[in-house]
């Protein structure tokens, strides 16, 4: 009896083992097939990661992975860079492109006929060689194509896209224009989405060097032979910004030292925003903000009647002030907090065109109050971003200056549109 029971037990165990072996073989076969397919896909893409600074991730088929060097990108992949990060890519037989921090691009098409990426958000700069087989960047307003040697960037922010061409030329195709537009070297095209959803296009203007971000200046300095800006001009702009930042910090330190010497405490506008659970005190930073309307003092004859009551004799609406902010907050958030603390009236509205909050008026001074080209502009660390303040994500120690322009869309503040 016991022998019979043992034989039955052995048969059951053998059958179970055989079933387990079959299942393992099936799993292994599926894994091998997927692995072989992954290897084949990785060897075919024409876009390959060259370098990564900081942290970047790739989204593929609904899953997210940390981006690594030598990884090939395939159609529908998305690349996202974190703050203080960036990534560069090589396009086989075509050229290279790089993306800035807080940016996202996707691979729209990857074929032997054309390589196409989508500019979803942030800044991308593309360097296409003379032997390029065709390259395109798709942005919300249309498609930019480059058939030959050229160097250009695309800045895509909520409601606004800016195309800057530094060498060669780029063709912009959009149903809104009805015909293709050629953007030549040294020019920029700004496209905005209006509140009704339609796109509008500014007349092409020269690229003011003051509108170039640090990321773009570094990229152009590494490609001096392809850029419409000279190395000397780019380096001079960087030095000018560094000097401006150093001056602002020196003035702030001098002011704070004087306050402390008198027995006082340095005023800091504290953040009233709760710190999210996933953050710590290390995510609480400070920046400085200044609000000026000095240009109005030189154009009082153009000022709307009755508005002189809102213009301080010094031209300073808010002296340089320290403001706290939490990681992820913007220039707009800090402006709103600083004005509330100082009792300065602030008018703003949400617009599709700026993809965020548009600053209509500060301290009773509004757009067009001092001429047809007047209004408020902001700069951070000496740079004038070409997108809304509610899209500019701050870093610790940033120096923000809001200034009122009366002439030439910022020409009286240093923006040079004639270069």
């Amino acid at each position: 009896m016991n022998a019979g029971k043992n034989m039955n037990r052995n048969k059951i165990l053998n059958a179970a083992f055989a079933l387990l072996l079959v299942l393992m073989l099936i799993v292994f076969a599926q894994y091998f097939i997927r692995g072989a397919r992954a290897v084949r896909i990785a060897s075919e893409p024409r876009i390959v990661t060259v370098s990564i600074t900081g942290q970047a991730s790739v989204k593929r088929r609904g899953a997210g992975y940390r981006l690594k060097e030598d990884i090939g990108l395939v159609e529908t992949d998305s690349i996202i860079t974190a703050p203080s990060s960036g990534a560069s890519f090589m396009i086989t037989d075509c050229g290279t492109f790089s993306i800035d921090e807080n940016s996202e691009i996707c691979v729209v098409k990857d074929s032997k006929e054309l390589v196409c990426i989508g500019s979803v958000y942030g800044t991308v700069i593309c360097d296409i060689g003379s032997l390029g087989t065709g390259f395109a960047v798709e942005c919300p307003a249309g498609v930019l194509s480059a058939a030959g040697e050229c160097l250009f960037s695309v800045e895509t922010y909520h409601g606004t896209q800016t195309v800057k061409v530094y060498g060669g030329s780029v063709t912009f195709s959009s149903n809104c224009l009805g015909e293709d537009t050629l953007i030549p070297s040294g020019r920029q095209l700004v496209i905005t989405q209006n509140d009704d959803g339609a796109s509008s296009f500014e007349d092409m203007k020269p690229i003011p060097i003051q509108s170039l971000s640090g990321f773009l200046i570094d990229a152009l300095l590494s490609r001096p032979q392809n850029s419409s800006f000279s190395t000397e001009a780019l380096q001079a702009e960087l030095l000018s910004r560094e000097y401006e930042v150093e001056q602002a910090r020196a003035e702030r330190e001098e002011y704070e030292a004087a306050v402390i010497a008198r027995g006082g405490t340095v005023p800091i506008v504290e953040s009233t925003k709760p710190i999210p659970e996933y953050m710590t005190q290390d995510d609480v930073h400070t920046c400085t903000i200044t609000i000026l309307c000095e240009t109005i003092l030189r154009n009082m004859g153009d000022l709307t009647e009755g508005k002189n009551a809102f213009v301080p004799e010094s031209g300073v609406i808010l002296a340089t002030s320290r403001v706290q902010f939490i990681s992820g907050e913007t220039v707009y958030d800090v402006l709103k907090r600083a004005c509330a603390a100082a009792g300065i009236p602030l008018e703003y509205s949400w617009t599709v065109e700026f993809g965020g909050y548009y600053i209509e008026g500060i301290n009773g001074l509004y757009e067009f109050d001092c001429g047809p080209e007047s209004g408020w502009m902001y700069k951070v660390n000496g740079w004038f971003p070409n997108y809304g303040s509610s899209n500019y994500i701050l870093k610790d120690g940033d120096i923000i200056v809001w200034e009122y322009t009366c002439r030439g869309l910022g020409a009286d503040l240093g923006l040079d549109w004639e270069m």
Side-chain angles (χ1 to χ4, degrees):
M1 289 289 290
N2 289 334
K5 288 182 178 180
N6 288 335
M7 289 180 63
N8 289 335
R9 185 185 306 159
N10 289 337
K11 289 181 179 179
I12 294 172
L13 289 173
N14 289 336
F17 179 76
L19 179 61
L20 178 62
L21 184 60
V22 170
L23 290 174
M24 289 178 65
L25 288 172
I26 293 173
V27 171
F28 177 76
Q30 290 180 337
Y31 176 81
F32 179 79
I33 292 170
R34 284 200 302 267
R37 185 180 299 131
V39 170
R40 186 168 64 253
I41 288 175
S43 64
E44 290 176 356
R46 299 184 61 197
I47 301 177
V48 179
T49 309
V50 175
S51 64
I52 304 162
T53 303
Q55 295 185 351
S57 60
V58 55
K59 289 195 299 185
R60 178 174 294 176
R61 300 186 184 94
Y65 310 91
R66 184 165 181 172
L67 184 67
K68 297 181 180 180
E69 293 182 4
D70 298 325
I71 292 218
L73 304 185
V74 296
E75 192 172 345
T76 73
D77 279 357
S78 292
I79 305 298
I80 303 171
T81 54
S84 301
S85 303
S88 297
F89 306 85
M90 180 181 68
I91 316 164
T92 304
D93 299 326
C94 194
T96 62
F97 67 89
S98 302
I99 55 177
D100 195 8
E101 64 175 348
N102 300 315
S103 298
E104 179 179 357
I105 60 102
C106 61
V107 180
V108 180
K109 186 176 183 181
D110 183 6
S111 69
K112 291 183 179 179
E113 293 78 26
L114 184 70
V115 177
C116 185
I117 63 171
S119 177
V120 180
Y121 190 84
T123 302
V124 56
I125 184 166
C126 309
D127 188 359
I128 308 305
S130 58
L131 299 178
T133 54
F135 179 75
V137 177
E138 186 177 281
C139 63
V143 178
L144 298 148
S145 56
E149 186 172 7
C150 64
L151 178 63
F152 68 99
S153 64
V154 184
E155 296 165 90
T156 303
Y157 293 91
H158 299 299
T160 304
Q161 296 109 60
T162 303
V163 183
K164 296 174 179 174
V165 180
Y166 313 101
S169 61
V170 174
T171 301
F172 178 66
S173 303
S174 171
N175 292 331
C176 298
L177 290 176
E179 60 181 15
D180 292 349
T181 299
L182 187 70
I183 309 173
S185 175
R187 296 278 168 167
Q188 69 174 27
L189 177 67
V190 179
I191 310 132
T192 56
Q193 185 178 11
N194 302 324
D195 289 334
D196 59 4
S199 295
S200 61
F201 305 85
E202 294 183 9
D203 292 336
M204 279 186 283
K205 295 184 177 71
I207 306 168
I209 196 169
Q210 298 86 354
S211 72
L212 299 176
S213 66
F215 165 75
L216 289 176
I217 290 180
D218 288 342
L220 295 179
L221 283 171
S222 68
R223 304 166 173 87
Q225 70 280 5
N226 299 335
S227 174
S228 54
F229 291 99
S230 69
T231 298
E232 292 75 17
L234 294 169
Q235 291 175 337
E237 176 62 20
L238 287 179
L239 288 173
S240 174
R241 295 182 190 182
E242 290 173 5
Y243 177 77
E244 184 173 332
V245 169
E246 289 173 2
Q247 285 289 99
R249 286 176 179 164
E251 291 173 5
R252 186 200 70 205
E253 290 171 0
E254 182 179 353
Y255 163 74
E256 292 178 353
V259 170
I260 294 171
R262 293 194 300 267
T265 56
V266 177
I268 297 179
V269 180
E270 296 184 354
S271 173
T272 56
K273 183 177 179 180
I275 302 176
E277 292 183 0
Y278 60 86
M279 291 185 179
T280 67
Q281 280 298 128
D282 291 337
D283 292 293
V284 179
H285 311 289
T286 61
C287 65
T288 63
I289 183 171
T290 309
I291 305 176
L292 307 172
C293 62
E294 296 171 326
T295 55
I296 295 180
L297 297 176
R298 301 191 294 271
N299 297 277
M300 293 296 286
D302 296 328
L303 189 63
T304 301
E305 186 177 354
K307 289 288 184 175
N308 59 317
F310 304 111
V311 182
E313 291 183 2
S314 63
V316 179
I317 294 174
L318 177 68
T320 302
S321 306
R322 277 207 197 195
V323 182
Q324 279 187 348
F325 66 94
I326 297 172
S327 295
E329 288 197 285
T330 66
V331 169
Y332 163 77
D333 295 319
V334 164
L335 173 66
K336 188 177 178 182
R337 188 170 299 140
C339 286
I344 298 171
L346 177 67
E347 294 283 343
Y348 52 86
S349 61
W350 175 272
T351 66
V352 175
E353 180 178 356
F354 288 93
Y357 290 97
Y358 172 66
I359 304 305
E360 297 178 342
I362 302 175
N363 199 46
L365 297 170
Y366 293 80
E367 183 181 33
F368 309 135
D369 273 350
C370 198
E373 296 179 333
S374 64
W376 287 101
M377 300 183 70
Y378 77 98
K379 61 182 176 180
V380 183
N381 302 329
W383 166 46
F384 287 93
N386 59 337
Y387 50 90
S389 61
S390 58
N391 291 321
Y392 190 105
I393 300 174
L394 288 166
K395 295 180 183 176
D396 187 45
D398 275 346
I399 295 173
I400 308 164
V401 180
W402 281 88
E403 297 182 272
Y404 195 91
T405 178
C406 299
R407 293 281 186 275
L409 302 173
D412 52 354
L413 302 179
L415 276 172
D416 188 355
W417 295 98
E418 300 302 325
M419 294 188 69

